């Protein structure tokens, strides 16, 4: 009797060794995805008594299956889902049979929840797609098939559901199968299986149905238990992204992480990238203790025979089998953020354990997930998918996604909100002759005619400002320098790009050969105006603090800065610091007014040279002891020089 007793340890060990199959279900609204999984759990006797009691009770109160049990309620857990009879969020269910363990992701069928399906299918080995026997292969079926192909899922089961509503017609089943085969010829899905089912009635879900004698295949559960997915993993290309360097004692320096692909073996020569240094694996440690080899998806820590500097984000590979090390690559991108994509944003990219900055150089095309048609766009909206060219600050160590899902995928993170805004599947590196930054013949012609390849709107979008010159004029000692430098500091604190010029800095270099005579002063300000114009054309704000006493010279400065090519825009903003001579003399820290009155300094406005008060300044600031820049900031926002 003792030998016949259930050995719990042996049972748990046996259960632990079972193969795991991750699968997702997808289909159009009301195709019966949740019902199918619920029936699978019910008929395979994987529900507890309290779950069954709750299911029967909820079916009477909230069910959509008439007098029968509504198995979809096992997965549609959200209140909105139960009320509408649809799936909104991804629902995960775990169950096991004597042969295999399963994790099922029930994904929503609506187009606006495409990102939910991408999330649910990112780790799936197999996809169960449902088609209504009455409707056949519809737009949503094609969309879900394309997404499964995009995610690199190699096994697809098309369950033709609701066969009971077409009297289990073999002819109708064959029509749908042929239509689906015709559609998938252009997609990379090597293994497609067709099963006629009735999720509500249970036909061919767990056991073969007597009502489909013409069907000679396996039931859905039998197929799921037997489908071979072990070969889907890449055991050839060793890719071990280092996640953490372990140093518990002076005698141990291990590199921890998860084996992405390939097999890590003791005694095998490996190479650390990007350094290129080589060594041999000395030992491997997993949760089971020391082992001779580690393979995906195991987490492990290993040591090397030689001291090599390896840190988080680097990768260990075989010397003769290396990934691509590139900054430029093409990728399929799925936009997952509610906010539309800003093509000028520098995103954070997280690729395995490595993180760096990245930009989107070009959107080659957008794919319509319903028709597979391609179109040109300048930005992505929520759930849109397309092919783009990207450049990273630091090189990525990657393989094409179709070859290695673990090293060919990444996420993009918004630098401000830190939301995950997109996921990507890398296609391949981009050769230098195909980089969008390469200058074309048309762009060369544009350079000859107009100059920069970056237009005004692109600069404004990048900087969050419009190129403009804020020109402070007023007597010496009126406080214009103090206000100009305060404005520069505030704009810099707001993240704006700004350059400040004043008389002292410019005369010490650019105008050092000029004196203070009216003619030389005019030339001095003309040079400053041309510098401001060039910087404004680059989208940069310039702040200028000059006495500039002559009305005619100020007018010439304004004409230089307000370019003819942009006649509708006023880039010159004159701010007059209004102060009487007594106030200015009081604030003269260098005694220049006294020197002018003594004849030691010539051409001093207010003493031996007239200061012509501006007739129509954009802003007048009354001189006082304490200045604030709030009035100027409000004016600049009103004039749309500063953007929110």
């Amino acid at each position: 009797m003792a030998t016949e007793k259930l050995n719990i340890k042996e049972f748990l060990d046996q259960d632990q060794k079972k193969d795991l199959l991750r699968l997702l279900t997808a289909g159009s609204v009301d195709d019966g995805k949740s019902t199918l999984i619920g029936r699978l759990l019910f008929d395979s006797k994987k529900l507890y008594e309290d779950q069954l009691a709750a299911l029967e009770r909820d079916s009477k109160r909230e069910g959509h299956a008439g007098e029968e049990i509504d198995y979809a309620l096992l997965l549609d857990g959200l209140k909105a889902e139960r009320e509408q009879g649809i799936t909104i969020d991804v629902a995960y269910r775990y169950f096991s049979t004597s042969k295999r363990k399963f994790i099922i992701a029930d994904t929503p069928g609506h187009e606006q929840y495409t990102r939910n399906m991408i999330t649910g299918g990112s780790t799936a080995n197999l996809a169960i797609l449902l088609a209504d026997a009455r409707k056949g292969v519809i737009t949503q079926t094609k969309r879900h098939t394309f997404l499964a192909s995009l995610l690199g899922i190699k096994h697809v089961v098309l369950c033709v559901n609701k066969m009971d509503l077409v009297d289990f017609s073999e002819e109708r089943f064959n029509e749908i199968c042929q239509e689906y085969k015709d559609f998938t010829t252009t997609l990379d899905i090597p293994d497609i299986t067709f099963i006629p089912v009735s999720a509500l009635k249970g036909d061919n879900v767990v056991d073969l149905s007597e009502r489909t004698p013409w069907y000679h295949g396996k039931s859905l559960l039998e197929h799921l238990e037997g489908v071979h997915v072990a070969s889907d993993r890449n055991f050839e290309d060793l890719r071990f992204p280092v996640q953490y360097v372990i140093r518990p004692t002076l005698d141990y320096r291990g590199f921890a992480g998860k084996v992405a692909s390939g097999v890590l073996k003791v005694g095998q020569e490996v190479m650390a990238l990007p350094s290129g240094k080589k060594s041999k694996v000395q030992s491997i440690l997993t949760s089971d203790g020391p082992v001779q080899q580690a393979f995906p998806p195991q987490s492990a820590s290993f040591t090397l025979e030689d001291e090599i500097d390896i840190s988080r984000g680097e990768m260990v590979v075989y010397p003769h089998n290396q990934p691509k090390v590139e900054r430029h690559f093409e990728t399929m991108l799925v936009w997952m953020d509610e906010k539309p994509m800003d093509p000028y944003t520098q995103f954070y990219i997280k690729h395995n354990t490595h993180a760096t900055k990245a930009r989107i150089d070009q959107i080659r095309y957008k794919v319509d997930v319903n028709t597979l048609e391609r179109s040109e766009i300048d930005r992505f909206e929520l759930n849109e998918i397309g092919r783009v060219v990207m450049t990273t600050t630091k090189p990525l160590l990657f393989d094409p996604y179709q070859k290695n899902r673990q090293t060919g995928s990444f996420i993009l993170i918004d630098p401000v909100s830190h939301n995950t805004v997109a996921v990507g599947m890398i296609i391949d590196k981009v050769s230098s002759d195909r980089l969008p930054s390469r200058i074309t013949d048309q762009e060369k012609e544009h350079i000859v005619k107009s100059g920069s390849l970056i237009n005004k709107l692109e600069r404004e979008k990048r900087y969050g400002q419009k190129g403009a010159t804020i020109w402070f004029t007023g007597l010496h000692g009126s406080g214009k320098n103090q206000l100009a430098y305060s404005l520069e500091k505030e704009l810099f604190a707001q993240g704006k790009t700004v350059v400040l010029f004043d008389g002292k800095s410019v005369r010490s270099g650019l105008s050092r050969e000029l004196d203070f005579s009216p003619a030389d002063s005019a030339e001095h300000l003309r040079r400053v105006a041309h510098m401001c114009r060039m910087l404004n054309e680059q989208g940069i704000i310039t702040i200028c603090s000059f006495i500039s006493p002559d009305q005619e010279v100020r007018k010439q400065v304004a004409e230089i800065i307000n370019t003819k090519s942009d006649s509708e825009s006023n880039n010159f903003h004159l701010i007059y610091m209004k102060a009487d001579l007594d106030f200015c003399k009081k604030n003269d820290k260098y005694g220049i007014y006294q020197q002018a009155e003594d004849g030691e300094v010539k051409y001093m406005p207010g003493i031996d040279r007239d200061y012509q008060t501006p007739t129509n300044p954009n802003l007048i600031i009354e001189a006082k002891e304490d200045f604030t820049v709030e009035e100027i900031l409000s004016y600049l926002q009103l004039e749309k020089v500063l953007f929110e």
Side-chain angles (χ1 to χ4, degrees):
M1 286 294 292
T3 58
E4 295 178 2
K5 287 184 178 179
L6 179 64
N7 189 317
I8 297 298
K9 187 177 185 306
E10 289 181 4
F11 173 79
L12 292 176
D13 289 343
Q14 182 183 357
D15 188 71
Q16 186 70 26
K17 293 176 182 177
K18 286 181 187 175
D19 187 21
L20 173 65
L21 177 68
R22 294 178 179 269
L23 57 101
L24 71 86
T25 59
S28 180
V29 180
D30 295 331
D31 274 353
K33 303 177 299 299
S34 300
T35 304
L36 179 68
I37 299 175
R39 170 61 81 169
L40 195 63
L41 295 172
F42 181 82
D43 284 0
S44 59
K45 307 295 188 294
K46 299 304 173 186
L47 297 179
Y48 296 107
E49 290 183 2
D50 59 331
Q51 288 178 304
L52 285 172
L55 179 61
E56 292 175 358
R57 183 182 65 251
D58 293 344
S59 295
K60 293 176 182 178
R61 187 174 67 240
E62 304 175 15
H64 295 79
E67 295 298 321
E68 301 191 46
I69 294 177
D70 188 354
Y71 299 102
L73 296 179
L74 284 170
L75 288 97
D76 292 342
L78 297 178
K79 183 179 180 183
E81 294 177 331
R82 293 195 166 194
E83 288 176 349
Q84 301 177 51
I86 62 172
T87 302
I88 295 175
D89 199 5
V90 181
Y92 292 95
R93 266 288 187 269
Y94 169 86
F95 78 101
S96 66
T97 66
S98 58
K99 298 180 180 179
R100 193 173 236 168
K101 292 183 288 187
F102 302 90
I103 296 178
I104 306 176
D106 182 24
T107 61
H110 294 68
E111 184 175 353
Q112 64 263 39
Y113 302 123
T114 296
R115 60 177 174 178
N116 301 59
M117 180 178 173
I118 294 292
T119 303
S122 60
T123 58
N125 309 111
L126 179 145
I128 299 176
L129 305 183
L130 280 85
D132 192 320
R134 299 167 299 174
K135 302 174 184 177
V137 179
I138 59 176
T139 301
Q140 286 90 332
T141 313
K142 296 178 180 179
R143 169 159 53 90
H144 297 142
T145 304
F146 168 71
L147 293 175
S149 172
L150 182 69
L151 289 168
I153 298 174
K154 300 182 183 299
H155 308 276
V156 170
V157 178
L158 183 70
C159 288
V160 182
N161 193 23
K162 304 187 180 181
M163 288 296 295
D164 53 312
L165 299 181
V166 294
D167 297 326
F168 296 94
S169 169
E170 180 183 9
E171 182 181 357
R172 180 59 180 152
F173 175 73
N174 291 334
E175 286 176 6
I176 295 173
C177 293
Q178 188 57 50
E179 187 179 357
Y180 190 77
K181 287 177 182 177
D182 294 340
F183 170 73
T184 55
T185 51
T186 58
L187 301 177
D188 185 21
I189 305 176
D191 178 27
I192 300 176
T193 303
F194 301 92
I195 302 176
V197 300
S198 172
L200 190 62
K201 306 292 185 180
D203 297 272
N204 294 328
V205 177
V206 173
D207 300 311
L208 289 173
S209 173
E210 296 178 355
R211 292 187 280 190
T212 55
W214 43 266
Y215 174 66
H216 305 293
K218 299 177 181 179
S219 69
L220 177 60
L221 181 60
E222 188 180 358
H223 176 76
L224 295 179
E225 286 180 327
V227 65
H228 183 65
V229 295
S231 59
D232 294 348
R233 289 195 178 276
N234 186 330
F235 291 102
E236 297 177 3
D237 310 316
L238 175 63
R239 305 288 185 262
F240 190 101
V242 176
Q243 183 174 357
Y244 193 65
V245 179
I246 300 175
R247 196 71 185 265
T249 65
L250 293 175
D251 302 325
Y252 186 90
R253 186 167 185 264
F255 307 100
K258 188 175 183 179
V259 184
S261 63
V263 181
L264 185 69
K265 300 178 181 178
V266 172
Q268 185 80 33
E269 186 181 42
V270 294
M271 173 187 287
L273 292 178
S275 68
K277 295 181 179 179
K278 301 177 184 178
S279 183
K280 288 186 178 181
V281 179
Q282 187 177 53
S283 65
I284 302 174
L285 189 65
T286 68
S287 58
D288 296 326
V291 295
Q292 290 299 303
Q293 61 182 23
F295 48 84
Q298 283 185 312
S299 295
S301 170
F302 68 93
T303 60
L304 298 174
E305 293 181 357
D306 306 295
E307 286 289 336
I308 294 181
D309 183 19
I310 304 176
S311 57
R312 176 181 170 85
E314 298 184 10
M315 186 178 287
V316 173
V317 302
Y318 287 145
H320 62 277
N321 185 340
Q322 300 180 29
K324 299 178 188 296
V325 185
E326 298 287 342
R327 291 179 55 238
H328 311 285
F329 55 89
E330 273 190 298
T331 178
M332 295 299 293
L333 203 67
V334 182
W335 193 254
M336 304 178 72
D337 196 23
E338 307 258 346
K339 181 181 174 184
M341 182 190 83
D342 180 355
Y344 306 108
T345 300
Q346 284 271 359
F347 298 100
Y348 289 115
I349 183 171
K350 190 173 187 309
H351 174 253
N352 287 317
T353 59
H354 181 55
T356 183
K357 288 186 176 181
R359 69 173 187 266
I360 297 174
D361 290 327
Q362 182 188 30
I363 301 176
R364 295 222 190 268
Y365 56 78
K366 180 191 111 173
V367 178
D368 188 318
V369 292
N370 295 321
T371 63
L372 302 189
E373 292 180 354
R374 300 175 180 180
S375 59
E376 292 186 2
I377 58 170
D378 58 0
R379 68 186 64 233
F380 287 116
E381 304 277 348
L382 176 64
N383 292 322
E384 289 186 336
I385 300 173
R387 184 167 178 160
V388 304
V389 177
M390 295 189 65
T391 297
T392 57
T393 305
K394 296 179 181 178
L396 296 188
L397 309 168
F398 67 85
D399 298 285
Y401 184 79
Q402 290 296 334
K403 182 181 179 183
N404 196 322
R405 289 172 70 176
Q406 280 66 40
T407 58
S409 57
F410 62 86
I411 62 172
L412 290 184
I413 300 170
D414 186 274
V416 177
S417 67
H418 296 286
N419 290 334
T420 299
V421 296
V423 296
M425 285 72 70
I426 298 174
I427 298 171
D428 209 340
K429 68 176 185 179
V430 180
S431 57
S432 57
D433 60 336
R434 295 191 65 214
L435 284 174
S437 57
R438 186 184 181 203
I439 298 177
T440 63
D441 292 337
Q442 184 179 1
E443 289 172 331
K444 289 178 182 177
E445 186 178 345
H446 178 79
I447 291 172
V448 174
K449 292 181 179 179
S450 308
S452 178
L453 297 177
I454 307 169
N455 64 45
K456 176 185 173 183
L457 292 177
E458 289 177 323
R459 295 185 192 278
E460 290 180 358
K461 188 71 174 176
R462 170 64 63 86
Y463 293 136
Q465 65 188 39
K466 185 177 77 171
T469 295
I470 296 97
W471 192 283
F472 289 90
T473 180
L475 289 171
H476 172 71
S478 61
K480 60 184 181 300
N481 267 17
Q482 179 184 341
L483 195 57
Y485 278 94
S486 298
L487 179 62
E488 179 197 29
K489 182 179 180 181
E490 178 60 31
L491 292 178
F492 180 79
Q494 292 183 14
K496 306 304 180 185
T497 305
V498 58
V499 174
L500 188 145
F501 298 114
D502 64 4
K504 184 178 180 181
S505 62
V506 177
R507 282 190 176 276
S508 65
L510 186 65
S511 300
R512 67 184 306 170
E513 83 281 8
L514 302 178
D515 59 26
F516 292 90
S517 65
D520 277 11
S521 293
E523 170 61 17
H524 166 60
L525 295 179
R526 187 191 67 80
R527 295 178 183 182
V528 173
H530 277 286
M531 284 195 299
C532 291
R533 172 179 170 172
M534 288 187 290
L535 289 170
N536 291 166
E537 288 174 348
Q538 306 302 313
I540 297 171
I541 295 173
T542 53
I543 300 174
C544 299
S545 178
F546 297 93
I547 297 175
S548 47
D550 295 330
Q551 178 74 19
E552 186 61 30
V553 173
R554 290 195 296 263
K555 182 180 178 183
Q556 293 173 7
V557 167
E559 290 174 351
I560 293 171
I561 292 173
N562 288 326
T563 61
K564 294 180 180 179
S565 60
D566 196 14
S567 57
E568 296 182 359
S569 177
N570 179 26
N571 294 338
F572 181 78
H573 303 270
L574 184 64
I575 298 178
Y576 170 44
M577 296 297 298
K578 186 178 180 181
D580 57 36
L581 190 58
D582 290 338
F583 179 90
C584 295
K585 287 181 178 180
K586 182 180 177 182
N587 285 288
D588 178 16
K589 298 179 181 179
Y590 302 102
I592 297 178
Y593 281 111
Q594 186 61 50
Q595 295 176 39
E597 290 174 346
D598 294 342
E600 298 175 11
V601 174
K602 295 178 64 178
Y603 309 117
M604 183 65 184
I607 302 298
D608 59 350
R609 183 180 176 186
D610 288 338
Y611 178 84
Q612 299 173 0
T613 303
T615 56
N616 193 23
N618 298 98
L619 208 59
I620 299 176
I621 305 292
E622 295 283 348
K624 52 186 177 180
E625 295 295 335
D626 296 322
F627 295 102
T628 63
V629 297
E630 296 303 321
E631 185 179 357
I632 302 175
L633 291 174
S634 299
Y635 166 77
L636 295 177
Q637 290 174 349
L638 186 66
E639 292 294 315
K640 293 183 171 54
V641 174
L642 304 179
F643 306 150
E644 294 294 336

